[in-house]
Amino acid sequence: MSAGVVPKQWKKAIITPVPKVAKPAKPSDYRPISITAVLSRAFERHVVRMHIYPALQDPPEGLDFNDQFGFRPTGSTVAALIALQHIVLSMLSTNAYVRVFALDFSKAFDAVRHSVLMEKMAKLRLPDEVYNWIKDFLTATRIAQNTLVRFLNKPTSMRV
């Protein structure tokens, strides 16, 4: 970590298809799951718990994560709904009605540009070696062995 580089062995992943529905019939019915080294996953968890979560708890001026509920230790769907209910009820005390618009961004995480994410992370109070490790983790070449093609080419009753 002190070099800010992710070991090559940790960059290898086996992409395995996991069904999203009871009877998968097409490739989009599968969710690709990356099987990575145990040490890599353990170290990722360490970086998140020891560096990223604390940085998010005390963000610098201009960054506010109070309305972020996903991927946080205290965040959940229930917490988001309670916060929304509190806001709506507070607004109803001074307004006759409240409009709520809800959006669900499909595959939103897949659409995040790593360069934009790293710009935001650069503003957090992270040690340089942690920032560099995360940048290397996101930008360095990864080796992926895709098992989906072999999985789909096996004789099966599934229609593709």
Side-chain angles (χ1 to χ4, degrees), residues 16-30:
T16 304
V18 176
K20 293 193 256 182
V21 295
K23 294 183 180 182
K26 56 187 184 278
S28 62
D29 290 341
Y30 292 90

Side-chain angles (χ1 to χ4, degrees), residues 90-98:
S90 296
M91 292 178 84
L92 283 172
S93 66
T94 58
N95 298 292
Y97 60 92
V98 174

Side-chain angles (χ1 to χ4, degrees), residues 1 7 13 16 21 23 41 45 50-51 57 70 72 80 82 85 90 92 97 111 113 115-116 120-121 130 146 158-159:
M1 163 92 91
T16 304
V21 295
K23 294 183 180 182
R41 289 188 4 242
R45 186 170 290 143
M50 300 306 293
H51 299 285
Q57 295 299 326
R72 292 184 74 181
I82 291 171
Q85 180 184 28
S90 296
L92 283 172
Y97 60 92
R113 284 183 270 158
S115 59
V116 174
K120 301 284 186 191
M121 295 206 70
V130 173
N146 191 336
M158 179 176 60
R159 287 175 281 154

Side-chain angles (χ1 to χ4, degrees), residues 7-132:
K8 259 189 217 179
Q9 301 88 337
W10 291 6
K11 295 178 185 176
K12 182 177 180 182
I14 297 172
I15 312 299
T16 304
V18 176
K20 293 193 256 182
V21 295
K23 294 183 180 182
K26 56 187 184 278
S28 62
D29 290 341
Y30 292 90
R31 174 181 292 111
I33 301 295
S34 296
I35 309 297
T36 58
V38 172
L39 283 176
S40 175
R41 289 188 4 242
F43 199 74
E44 287 170 38
R45 186 170 290 143
H46 169 76
V47 168
V48 168
R49 287 183 179 161
M50 300 306 293
H51 299 285
I52 296 176
Y53 283 160
L56 293 176
Q57 295 299 326
D58 184 29
E61 185 89 19
L63 290 179
D64 182 18
F65 302 105
N66 289 329
D67 59 352
Q68 174 68 40
F69 294 94
F71 306 103
R72 292 184 74 181
T74 58
S76 69
T77 305
V78 172
L81 290 172
I82 291 171
L84 177 63
Q85 180 184 28
H86 173 72
I87 291 167
V88 169
L89 291 175
S90 296
M91 292 178 84
L92 283 172
S93 66
T94 58
N95 298 292
Y97 60 92
V98 174
R99 291 183 183 168
V100 176
F101 295 92
L103 302 173
D104 182 14
F105 295 101
S106 177
K107 299 187 182 208
F109 186 76
D110 296 340
V112 172
R113 284 183 270 158
H114 292 163
S115 59
V116 174
L117 177 62
M118 292 312 298
E119 285 176 24
K120 301 284 186 191
M121 295 206 70
K123 295 177 182 177
L124 294 175
R125 294 179 183 98
L126 291 171
D128 290 343
E129 63 273 9
V130 173
Y131 173 85
N132 292 334

